[in-house]
Amino acid sequence: MLNGKKIVLGVTGGIAAYKAAELTRALIKEGAQVKVIMTKSAGEFISPLTFQTLSGDMVYTDMFVPTAKYDMAHITLAEFADVFVIAPATGNIIGKIASGVADDLLSTTIMATDKPTLICPAMNDKMLANPVVQDNIDKLKKYGYAVMDSTFGELACKTSGSGRLPEASAIVEEIAALLTPKDLTGERILVTAGPTEEPLDPVRFITNLSSGKMGYALARVARWRGAQVTLITGPTDLSLPPGIEVVQIRTAQEMYEAVLEHFKKSTIIIKAAAVADFRPASLAKEKIKKSNQSFSLMLERNPDIISEISKNKGNRILVGFAMETQNLLANAQDKLKRKKMDFIVANNLREEGAGFQTDTNIITIIDSSGNVEALPKMTKIDAAVKILDRIKDTTRRKGKRKK
Ligand code: CTP
């Protein structure tokens, strides 16, 4: 997600400083190069050695250290970075940046950079609610800094409230969004994801192996690229992506109703969900008992959601998925025509690294003019980027939207 990105992480003196270690690790895992600046008070909470070990680089703490080579750290760090992140950001550093104070390496480097900067406040809830701190946060936003909301929960001072540092994964997500050019601004993208569950009694249901990973990746990348995203999702184990309107459903019928409700206001619809084609014809009120040796289950058809919406598609872009185990191209081409999609993303469940559950996919994109683009194995995030690139091209070709 952050392959090759250069990140300068500023760590300031709050108890959440220990969580910055986890963040450093997560950034490195995502392929980023990380340099850490610590303030003096951050060093009271956590040792520079922790960050040195995790980042694989020296940790910057002092403005005025004589070195063998003449090097102005605040300028070289400001130029090195693709993005700056301050996590945790105390009320003190927020106040200093907001008022133009540069009295240590971190505040001076921030003053010297014009790179995107993400500030992640974390402090006691009363400190965060202080109108001076709130004014300073507003000021930072006005100056173009990205400020992440802190989360609600138990705080180190034994109270509960707002002021917790968000999880490392949520900060990584925000960094990815900040670094992504906003070429889908103005688009309203509806994504469906995950499996549906079709109950037959209070404790049993029919479902499939969809994990939702491909649909969630599409929703996330679309948001990073500036689109307004609605995600209609069946039950999955994934955490709900931030910055996205999420509608949670269980059955195909509920997904159908949610799609009908949201599709009119959408400009692009991506149907990545694995929708159950059939549901039990009747739903038993009580648990079905094993009274006989055999048991037959009568199934009835669910609505074909994509076929229904394609009837009133207008100039919206409609993208479907085809998961196949045989005759990939022929089956996908048939679905593309039958369901009147602009293009279909096909994958073969028999190929290793493709399909349900995995973090990778091997996709073939087929459009309504018959063009076939077979792509190699890649992460689902990269596959989402390719699919959205294709959507972007289609909007350009159709010439009906701004660039
Ligand atoms: N789809 C849908 N509603 C359904 C079933 C499928 O909208 N009831 C959508 C899926 O989200 C996907 C596309 O249609 O984008 C193709 O799904 P797939 O299950 O492969 O198609 P089916 O028509 O159900 O074909 P099959 O006979 O292979 O199950």
Side-chain angles (χ1 to χ4, degrees):
M1 235 155 83
L2 298 172
N3 235 343
K5 297 293 179 205
K6 295 177 182 142
I7 299 174
V8 174
L9 172 63
V11 183
T12 66
I15 182 60
Y18 79 93
K19 289 189 180 172
E22 203 190 318
L23 176 61
T24 307
R25 208 188 164 128
L27 295 172
I28 297 283
K29 206 168 149 217
E30 289 296 340
Q33 191 183 342
V34 183
K35 287 185 187 286
V36 177
I37 305 178
M38 290 176 74
T39 61
K40 196 162 179 286
S41 7
E44 301 291 331
F45 287 92
I46 186 164
S47 154
L49 190 60
T50 305
F51 292 106
Q52 184 176 313
T53 310
L54 292 173
S55 69
D57 203 340
M58 67 174 280
V59 171
Y60 298 78
T61 49
D62 284 308
M63 208 42 210
F64 308 105
V65 193
T67 50
K69 200 167 111 242
Y70 177 70
D71 183 22
M72 286 189 289
H74 62 294
I75 304 295
T76 38
L77 286 167
E79 279 166 6
F80 159 85
D82 293 315
V83 63
F84 272 82
V85 182
I86 306 183
T90 54
N92 186 47
I93 189 75
I94 290 169
K96 286 207 281 189
I97 302 170
S99 10
V101 174
D103 64 351
D104 62 5
L105 182 60
L106 181 59
S107 51
T108 312
T109 311
I110 292 293
M111 188 180 276
T113 191
D114 56 0
K115 304 292 173 54
T117 301
L118 177 66
I119 294 176
C120 307
M123 64 196 84
N124 161 275
D125 57 336
K126 300 251 169 21
M127 290 171 79
L128 184 63
N130 186 310
V132 178
V133 176
Q134 286 300 315
D135 275 356
N136 285 336
I137 290 177
D138 287 346
K139 225 167 159 187
L140 291 186
K141 289 182 182 166
K142 201 180 81 202
Y143 289 135
Y145 292 94
V147 182
M148 234 181 136
D149 287 338
S150 48
T151 56
F152 189 90
E154 201 183 309
L155 300 167
C157 41
K158 309 270 181 291
T159 55
S160 232
S162 202
R164 281 170 65 91
L165 186 69
E167 294 303 316
S169 58
I171 299 175
V172 171
E173 184 80 12
E174 268 334 284
I175 298 170
L178 202 58
L179 283 168
T180 308
K182 303 288 174 267
D183 64 345
L184 289 173
T185 302
E187 302 293 357
R188 298 174 74 112
I189 305 189
L190 177 62
V191 180
T192 69
T196 62
E197 288 178 358
E198 311 298 327
L200 52 141
D201 74 8
V203 294
R204 302 180 179 100
F205 53 84
I206 299 170
T207 190
N208 57 64
L209 285 173
S210 171
S211 61
K213 286 180 180 171
M214 191 64 243
Y216 277 52
L218 280 157
R220 289 163 61 200
V221 177
R223 198 241 336 166
W224 301 349
R225 291 170 73 156
Q228 211 176 315
V229 182
T230 301
L231 173 67
I232 298 177
T233 175
T236 76
D237 291 336
L238 305 174
S239 37
L240 300 181
I244 288 174
E245 179 191 15
V246 180
V247 182
Q248 289 174 282
I249 54 84
R250 186 179 185 207
T251 64
Q253 181 64 30
E254 286 167 13
M255 180 171 279
Y256 174 59
E257 285 159 21
V259 169
L260 282 195
E261 192 189 323
H262 288 87
F263 115 97
K264 283 260 161 64
K265 62 173 192 214
S266 310
T267 56
I268 295 159
I269 297 113
I270 310 174
K271 291 240 47 266
V275 186
D277 291 321
F278 293 92
R279 65 178 169 234
S282 62
L283 171 60
K285 272 209 181 70
E286 308 300 337
K287 186 183 169 208
I288 301 168
K289 307 300 282 181
K290 54 170 184 314
S291 44
N292 292 317
Q293 281 307 323
S294 63
F295 171 70
S296 310
L297 187 61
M298 177 66 87
L299 299 177
E300 63 186 16
R301 280 292 291 268
N302 270 323
D304 191 306
I305 305 170
I306 206 161
S307 301
E308 285 303 317
I309 57 172
S310 69
K311 290 180 193 154
N312 299 308
K313 155 179 182 308
N315 60 2
R316 295 174 185 84
I317 291 171
L318 191 53
V319 180
F321 273 73
M323 290 250 185
E324 305 294 341
T325 54
Q326 56 182 350
N327 304 329
L328 180 76
L329 287 185
N331 281 333
Q333 268 154 346
D334 173 58
K335 282 175 194 172
L336 172 79
K337 280 206 188 86
R338 217 171 2 102
K339 304 192 182 200
K340 297 192 180 61
M341 305 171 191
D342 288 275
F343 54 88
I344 192 157
V345 180
N347 55 18
N348 185 347
L349 288 180
R350 298 251 190 258
E351 276 186 294
E352 198 174 325
F356 291 146
Q357 307 284 336
T358 54
D359 288 325
T360 56
N361 212 349
I362 305 168
I363 57 168
T364 299
I365 303 177
I366 307 163
D367 69 21
S368 47
S369 317
N371 300 310
V372 176
E373 185 187 8
L375 294 162
K377 182 161 103 174
M378 58 183 76
T379 65
K380 284 187 171 165
I381 288 286
D382 288 339
V385 170
K386 294 281 182 202
I387 295 164
L388 289 162
D389 284 350
R390 198 53 186 274
I391 289 173
K392 180 73 200 164
D393 282 352
T394 313
T395 61
R396 276 209 198 103
R397 256 205 326 279
K398 289 194 170 182
K400 60 188 185 335
R401 297 191 178 84
K402 63 182 182 302
K403 282 197 174 163

